[in-house]
Amino acid sequence: KVQLVESGGGSVHAGGSLRIFCAAYGYTFSLLAMGWFRQATGKEREEVATSDSGGGTAYSDSVKGRSNISQDNAKNTLYLQMNDLKPEDTAMYYCAAHYSRTCAFGRLGDFRSWGQGAQVTVSS
């Protein structure tokens, strides 16, 4: 199974930007579809963005137009660039892997390997 390690979280003011990273180890990254998910305190985990190995992407309405997911197969790394951050973006962000080249947005259960999470805090 792939091992996933997130980094790059932090604290920013509203309107700021952050880029979070997910390094993958122990698996051929190009065979995976990847996703970013987040979970705020007291709320259910929600899907934020997905990327398939061919570069296809999808976003939740809450981040669409403000975020960009990208997958660098040569570096075994997944990225999430988040701009114009809002306090409601505050959450623990997790990357996850689906053992397929493609994925369907909204199918959280398809993702079988998860990282430990990176905290993003946005203050108003």
Side-chain angles (χ1 to χ4, degrees):
K1 292 180 66 175
V2 65
Q3 303 296 316
L4 302 172
V5 180
E6 298 97 335
S7 61
S11 298
V12 296
H13 291 294
S17 298
L18 273 179
R19 194 181 198 195
I20 52 178
F21 307 80
C22 174
Y25 304 93
Y27 203 88
T28 303
F29 199 58
S30 62
L31 297 180
L32 300 170
M34 300 294 294
W36 283 105
F37 300 78
R38 68 186 182 187
Q39 188 166 18
T41 302
K43 296 188 177 182
E44 293 187 354
R45 191 168 296 189
E46 64 171 338
E47 196 164 11
V48 175
T50 58
S51 171
D52 64 38
S53 63
T57 59
Y59 299 88
S60 67
D61 288 342
S62 61
V63 304
K64 193 176 296 182
R66 301 188 294 121
S67 298
N68 183 69
I69 185 173
S70 57
Q71 182 173 344
D72 188 332
N73 293 335
K75 296 183 178 180
N76 285 6
T77 303
L78 180 74
Y79 307 91
L80 182 67
Q81 174 69 41
M82 298 183 288
N83 303 316
D84 190 22
L85 283 160
K86 304 175 181 181
E88 51 264 42
D89 293 318
T90 295
M92 186 72 78
Y93 283 72
Y94 300 89
C95 68
H98 175 34
Y99 291 92
S100 173
R101 293 179 187 270
T102 60
C103 62
F105 195 84
R107 293 175 59 90
L108 189 149
D110 287 348
F111 291 82
R112 302 301 180 89
S113 291
W114 294 79
Q116 82 288 352
Q119 178 67 38
V120 172
T121 303
V122 185
S123 58
S124 58

